[in-house]
């Protein structure tokens, strides 16, 4: 079971959190101008890396805040935790 | 004579406390301090089990967690425990133990015929024999389970209590032998928070069963002093009888503490077991090593034991497991056992050593005592059935792969102490993610690179001398504490051990078979009856991967988990495949290290505590008035209110007609309620609902449909505008938490610029729905400050006022199609208002109704229930609800409604169904087809989503999703049922009752 460092509450057991999948998925700003392929890509397609993965977590049974985590999918080591809109390692960040 | 094999003196037992127990109904005696295994051996009980597959007689092999045979059933009734290793069960007065495998009895086992049929029962026997025809598996399985049964599960509820504890510590030390104690001293002295857990009742590990000395005194004296010092350190927690059984991510470890298992059942001295979940800064694994068996003919006979186990029984329990012993070894450590036997007065017939040259210090002492040492020899066979009666040995050739003598020589003995070397207990290291590495010198897998903050020390790392174990323990304990920010503080110096140089061992994975394939069976894994020949067969049949061979031969299955047979099996596989051991590898060790009772994992999460239960503020009234309840998520909701002798159908008939003709009342408190507040609240609702919210005036309500981004219907409900910047949203009962999370996520992650705040207020408000033509009269009688006239308080409006003296929000909305008001009051006043409504409605014969009637009333109107009539693959258009899709704004899911799949013309659409036989109610979920006689697979049109008898229509009604259904009103479709009947039904409009909506606009 992971121990996740909530940026608002500090380290807590994984059971307090819910998983939100890949982070930094950008909702197309003009859905009408978005092709079916691009919309399907936004809806359904996610990376499945072996290694570093930026993902969203929610402290569901705590402060109920969503935030970002960079986690290694092999070792499960958590490399970084940062707030929504914040700057992650390697320049990953949310859309402005 | 009682306890015939008990030595006259010595041991760590309390001879003043004799304990009576029974084995297979036979009364026996032991002493306090005994394990069940020690007491059985003291009573010269050799035969304790029948083996899993061949039903061969089996005896006690080990003295600890690795015991493969003595798996006994303890106690009776709900207290019973199957599969308990007798070597780890502390004896208590009145203990009842029985063998689990042997029919009709252990001594006379009819299934032993399997042993004669061994040639017909090779590896993979089950896969080869019982798989075809597949439909017979159920029959085979029953017989196989009976034949192979390992213990009975209790049939009664467990009367015992189990606890869970969650803790953090700086240093967790797994194992309280010399290395673990040393680590605990070093870490504990620094002031770090330390947990020291050991599976035995006493700390000391292997020292308890040895005659090692430290500082010239028995090593157990040092153990005593160390334990006393540790107990005095305030930050050190000592957990005896506690097995660290699992190592998970981020240094989470689990410990099973057997709190009262050593006491007779029924003594309430705390929980039976306790599960510790420890988040450790650093972990020191001091789990010791397990002595390997040697693989030779009939090496499973009762009386063939690990040499170290023989020493433990002699030294710790003062039990001599035999009268005349042969020692069979490939290393020096077993010579200690020979000396232990000799000093205990047991005859040592010979030491048989596969090594050609034996010139170490320990062998020299054995020779000096006059014991014959046959170097370059191996035992090839064991005589005797239910107990060892002798052994045969042959001279090995120079490389140990054949024999240099033609015939074996006999040796008289009733005990064989074997040692094939030592396997470090790498289980926890492996569980932590580490990959064990093969060490050629030790011929053993040792811990590899650490993946987490852990280190193995002492025998668990492959250090087999006491001095090294202590040194590694002290260093690792200090290093772990330092890493956690605690500086080492000096204490008593490390005690000095007597250093005896040991000569290298000689790997001997399998003694050559002296009669080829006709030779006696050579067991690798006793518990699973896996022989050397089985592994060779698996390799010949094409199995290459060690993980596949494990599953094919069952090697390392069961409670063994690779403790005894693993390395021998891997090596035999490597040899058969002509490759080395490192490239063959080892199987992955998984938790638990030793079996854990289900009760321990469950803890107190049983019965009423299994899942939270939610009750509305009015719940007790429903109970007092005889309601039957149904579970809706965690909620208990009144299902229907039967009067004397009424069935569900009769009660629902009465309740529905009351709501349609006079007035009914329902507890709607379980609806999800979300308070939406902020200057951007209207814009927010515009984005999450399909319809527009900007123009909704204060004091008005609107129905909203919420979609997922994939365009599928996710939730629905009515939202009221309380003020310009304040809305009160309702959701489905089951969807409340999900919707709250969904809305929060969009606000926090995509739209942080919106100034909107959400608060779940589901539990803060009680909701009483007053439904029916007379509802206006009831409300008017209860509330003077709201004008209930139709034009003053129209449909889809809300008013604030005082109902039965309580500040209330009253919504004129309807889920039944009738004139109806939903009164929302703070939950604490829920029952008061409900009772006031009942009193005011008495004049109209007001009738409480439950969820079943609610379902019927809404289905008559064709109102959907999200999650029942939808399943995550239904769009608003599929439901005929395109009218609720705004054209002039974006909202979640809108773009997906334009995807090619969403605009297919043959999508399933919601329709009504009327059975041609009006009294027949279709089962929900029934599949619908055009032609029930069509060739299989029959093309499916869709299925029934809701189906009821409608009291006011006097016939059955159903809602269904049917391919292209809106174009097919008037068509007849077929529902082939599971009982063979085929029911015809006509497709119709889903609104069965009052399609104009006249009844709610009065």
């Amino acid at each position: 079971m992971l121990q996740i460092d909530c940026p608002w509450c500090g380290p807590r057991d994984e059971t307090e959190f819910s998983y939100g999948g890949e982070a930094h998925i950008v909702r197309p700003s003009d859905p009408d101008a978005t092709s079916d392929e691009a919309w399907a890509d936004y809806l359904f397609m996610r990376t499945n890396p072996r290694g570093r993965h930026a993902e969203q977590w929610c402290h569901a049974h705590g402060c109920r805040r969503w935030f970002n985590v960079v986690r290694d999918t092999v070792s499960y080591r958590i490399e970084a935790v940062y707030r929504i809109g914040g700057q992650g390692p390697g320049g990953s960040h949310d859309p402005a | 004579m009682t306890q015939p094999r008990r030595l006259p003196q010595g041991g760590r037992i309390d001879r003043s406390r004799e304990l009576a127990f029974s084995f297979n109904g036979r009364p026996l005696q032991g002493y306090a301090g005994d394990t069940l295994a020690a007491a059985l051996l003291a009573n010269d009980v050799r035969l304790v089990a029948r083996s899993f597959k061949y039903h061969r007689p089996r005896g006690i092999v080990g003295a600890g967690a690795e015991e493969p045979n003595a798996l006994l059933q303890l106690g009776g009734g709900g207290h019973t425990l199957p599969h308990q290793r007798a070597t780890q069960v502390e004896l208590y007065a009145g203990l009842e133990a029985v063998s689990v495998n042997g029919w009709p009895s252990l001594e006379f086992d009819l299934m032993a015929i399997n042993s004669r049929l061994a040639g017909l029962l090779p590896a993979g026997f089950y896969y080869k024999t019982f798989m075809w025809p597949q439909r017979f598996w159920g029959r085979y399985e029953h017989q196989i389970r009976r034949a192979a049964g390992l213990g009975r599960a209790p049939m009664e509820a467990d009367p015992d209590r189990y606890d869970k504890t969650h803790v953090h510590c700086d240093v967790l030390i797994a194992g309280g032998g010399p290395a673990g104690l040393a680590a605990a001293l070093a870490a504990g002295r620094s002031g770090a928070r330390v947990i020291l857990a050991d599976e035995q009742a006493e700390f000391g590990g292997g020292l308890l069963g040895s005659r090692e000395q430290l500082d010239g005194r028995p090593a157990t004296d040092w153990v005593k002093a160390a334990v006393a010092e540790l107990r005095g350190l305030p930050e050190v927690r000592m957990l005896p009888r506690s097995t660290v059984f699992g190592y998970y991510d981020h240094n989470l470890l689990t410990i099973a503490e057997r709190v009262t298992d050593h006491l007779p059942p029924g003594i309430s001295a705390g929980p039976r077991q306790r599960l510790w979940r420890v988040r450790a800064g650093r972990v020191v694994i001091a789990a010791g090593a397990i002595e390997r068996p040697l693989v030779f003919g009939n090496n499973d006979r009762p009386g063939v034991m690990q040499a170290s186990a023989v020493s433990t029984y002699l030294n710790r329990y003062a039990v001599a497991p035999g009268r005349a012993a042969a020692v069979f070894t490939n290393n020096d450590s077993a010579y200690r056992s020979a000396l232990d036997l000799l000093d205990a007065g047991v005859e040592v017939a010979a030491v048989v050593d596969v090594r050609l040259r034996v010139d170490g210090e320990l062998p020299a002492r054995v020779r000096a005592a006059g014991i014959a040492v046959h170097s370059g020899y191996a035992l090839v066979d064991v005589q005797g059935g239910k107990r060892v009666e002798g052994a045969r040995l042959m001279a090995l050739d120079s490389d140990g792969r054949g024999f240099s003598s033609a015939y074996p020589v006999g040796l008289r003995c009733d005990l064989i102490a074997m040692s094939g070397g030592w396997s470090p207990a790498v289980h926890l290291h492996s569980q932590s993610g580490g990959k064990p590495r093969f060490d050629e010198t030790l011929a053993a897998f040792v811990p590899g690179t650490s993946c987490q903050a852990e280190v193995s020390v002492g025998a668990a790392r492959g250090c087999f001398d006491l001095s090294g174990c202590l040194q590694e323990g002290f260093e690792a304990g200090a290093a772990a504490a330092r890493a956690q920010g605690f500086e080492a503080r000096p204490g008593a110096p490390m005690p000095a051990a007597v250093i005896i140089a040991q000569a290298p061992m000689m790997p001997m994975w399998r003694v050559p078979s002296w009669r080829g394939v006709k030779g006696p069976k050579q067991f690798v894994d006793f518990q699973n009856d896996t022989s050397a020949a089985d592994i060779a067969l698996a390799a010949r049949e094409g199995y290459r991967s060690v993980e596949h061979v494990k599953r094919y031969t069952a090697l390392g299955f069961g409670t063994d988990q690779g403790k005894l047979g693993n390395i021998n099996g891997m090596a035999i596989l490597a040899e058969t495949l002509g490759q080395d051991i490192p490239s063959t590898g080892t199987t992955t060790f998984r938790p638990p290290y030793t079996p854990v009772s289900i009760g321990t994992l469950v803890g107190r999460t049983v019965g009423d505590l299994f899942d939270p239960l939610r009750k509305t503020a009015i719940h007790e009234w429903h109970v007092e008035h005889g309601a039957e309840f149904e579970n809706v998520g965690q909620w208990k909701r009144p299902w229907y209110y039967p009067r004397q002798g009424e069935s569900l159908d009769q009660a629902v008939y009465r309740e529905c007609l009351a709501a349609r003709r006079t007035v009914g009342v329902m507890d709607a408190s379980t609806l999800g309620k979300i308070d939406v507040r902020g200057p951007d609240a209207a814009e927010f609702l515009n984005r999450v609902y399909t319809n527009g919210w900007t123009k909704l005036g204060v004091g008005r309500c609107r129905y909203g449909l919420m979609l997922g981004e994939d365009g599928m219907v996710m939730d629905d409900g009515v939202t009221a505008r309380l003020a310009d910047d304040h809305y009160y949203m309702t959701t489905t009962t089951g969807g409340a938490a999900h919707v709250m999370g969904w809305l929060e996520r969009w606000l926090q992650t995509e739209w942080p610029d919106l100034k909107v705040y959400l608060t779940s207020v589901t539990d803060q408000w009680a909701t009483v729905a007053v439904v029916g033509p007379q509802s206006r009269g009831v409300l008017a009688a209860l509330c003077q400050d709201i004008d209930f006239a139709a034009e003053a308080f129209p449909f889809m409006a809300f008013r604030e006022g005082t109902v039965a003296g309580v500040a209330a929000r009253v919504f004129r909305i309807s889920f039944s199609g009738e004139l109806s008001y939903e009164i929302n009051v703070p939950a604490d006043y829920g029952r008061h208002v409900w009772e006031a409504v009942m009193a005011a409605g008495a004049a109209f014969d007001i009738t409480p109704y439950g969820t079943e009637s609610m379902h019927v009333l809404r289905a008559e109107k064709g109102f959907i229930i999200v999650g029942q009539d939808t399943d995550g693959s239904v769009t608003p258009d599929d439901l005929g609800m395109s009218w609720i899709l705004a054209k002039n704004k974006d909202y979640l899911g809108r773009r997906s409604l334009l995807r090619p799949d969403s605009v297919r013309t043959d999508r399933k659409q919601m329709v009504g169904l009327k059975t041609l036989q009006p009294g027949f109610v279709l089962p929900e979920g029934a599949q619908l087809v055009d032609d029930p006689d069509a060739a299989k697979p029959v093309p499916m049109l869709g299925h029934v989503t809701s189906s009821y008898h409608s009291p006011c229509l006097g016939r059955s009604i159903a809602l269904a999703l049917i391919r292209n259904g809106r174009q097919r009103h008037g068509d007849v479709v077929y529902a082939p049922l599971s009982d063979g009947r085929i029911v015809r039904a006509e497709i119709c409009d889903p609104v069965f009752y009052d399609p104009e909506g006249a009844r709610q606009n009065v």
Side-chain angles (χ1 to χ4, degrees), chain B residues 911-918 920-922 927-930 941 944 947 955-958 960 962 968-976 982-988:
Chain B
V911 295
L913 278 184
K914 287 179 181 168
T915 49
L916 299 192
Q917 200 186 330
F920 188 84
V921 179
L922 283 164
Q927 293 292 322
L928 301 167
V929 301
D930 266 330
L941 293 176
V944 175
S947 180
R955 60 152 303 126
S956 71
I957 57 167
I962 291 185
R968 298 196 55 184
H969 289 189
D971 287 3
V972 171
V973 292
Y974 297 82
I982 295 171
V983 180
R984 290 180 298 163
E986 184 190 322
I987 301 176
C988 62

Side-chain angles (χ1 to χ4, degrees), chain B residues 442-682:
Chain B
L442 298 171
F445 281 98
V446 296
T449 311
S450 290
C451 292
Q452 300 202 43
E454 56 90 27
V455 63
S456 296
V457 293
R461 195 196 61 79
C463 168
F464 297 130
D465 72 274
L466 180 53
S467 189
C469 287
L470 290 167
Q471 182 158 354
E472 287 186 7
F474 276 109
E475 286 169 3
R482 202 177 308 119
Q484 291 296 109
F486 296 88
E487 263 321 302
R489 282 187 216 144
M494 194 181 107
V498 182
I499 293 170
I500 301 174
Q502 299 215 6
M505 59 99 79
M506 168 180 153
M508 171 57 65
W509 309 116
R510 172 192 190 173
V511 170
S513 185
W514 67 292
R515 287 195 300 166
V517 292
K518 289 184 176 163
K521 279 197 170 295
Q522 302 172 310
F523 284 94
V524 176
D525 179 335
F526 301 114
Q527 186 171 106
N528 298 295
D529 263 354
T530 308
S531 69
D534 289 330
I535 295 167
L537 175 67
R540 283 204 306 279
E541 290 187 351
Y543 288 89
R544 292 290 180 274
S545 154
V546 60
E547 297 284 3
H548 292 161
V549 170
K550 168 181 169 172
R551 281 150 187 84
Y552 193 57
T553 63
L555 173 72
F557 270 31
T559 68
D560 178 72
Q561 288 301 303
K563 291 185 189 71
L564 280 188
N566 206 54
I567 176 66
N568 287 334
M570 307 301 129
I572 292 167
L573 176 65
E575 196 176 79
T576 312
L577 294 176
Q579 60 193 36
D580 60 13
I581 295 174
S583 52
T584 304
T586 178
T587 52
T588 307
F589 297 94
R590 292 194 176 83
Y593 176 65
T594 49
V596 179
S597 178
I598 296 290
T600 310
L601 300 174
V602 171
R604 301 206 182 188
T605 319
V606 290
D608 287 345
L609 298 181
F610 177 69
D611 199 33
L613 194 65
R614 299 176 81 184
K615 298 173 181 174
T616 74
I618 313 165
H619 181 84
E620 296 309 323
W621 189 95
H622 307 316
V623 173
E624 289 159 20
H625 291 79
E628 295 289 332
F629 290 86
E630 81 166 331
N631 296 327
V632 181
Q634 292 170 331
W635 286 105
K636 284 276 175 202
R637 295 197 70 177
W639 185 18
Y640 60 103
Y641 297 80
R643 288 186 181 163
Q644 196 69 41
E646 269 184 345
S647 66
L648 167 67
D649 288 343
Q650 289 166 333
V652 167
Y653 186 85
R654 175 178 50 75
E655 291 171 12
C656 285
L657 289 183
R660 292 269 182 245
R661 292 177 182 167
T662 54
V663 62
V665 58
M666 190 187 70
D667 181 358
S669 307
T670 63
L671 278 183
K673 306 172 199 80
I674 299 171
D675 189 274
V676 182
R677 202 182 289 231
D680 295 321

Side-chain angles (χ1 to χ4, degrees), chain B residues 208-262:
Chain B
L208 300 171
S210 81
R211 295 191 292 162
E212 293 264 13
Q213 299 224 319
L214 285 170
D215 289 339
R217 296 156 53 90
T220 48
D221 286 2
W222 175 79
V223 170
K224 202 173 164 186
V227 168
E229 182 183 344
L230 288 168
R231 287 202 194 286
L233 294 171
E235 296 295 338
V236 175
R237 190 195 294 272
M238 311 277 280
L239 294 178
R241 301 187 174 99
S242 299
T243 305
V244 183
F245 70 83
Y247 198 139
Y248 306 89
D249 295 312
H250 295 189
N251 261 20
L252 179 79
L253 292 96
T254 46
I255 304 174
E257 181 189 10
R258 294 170 295 280
V259 184
T260 59
D261 266 358
H262 59 292

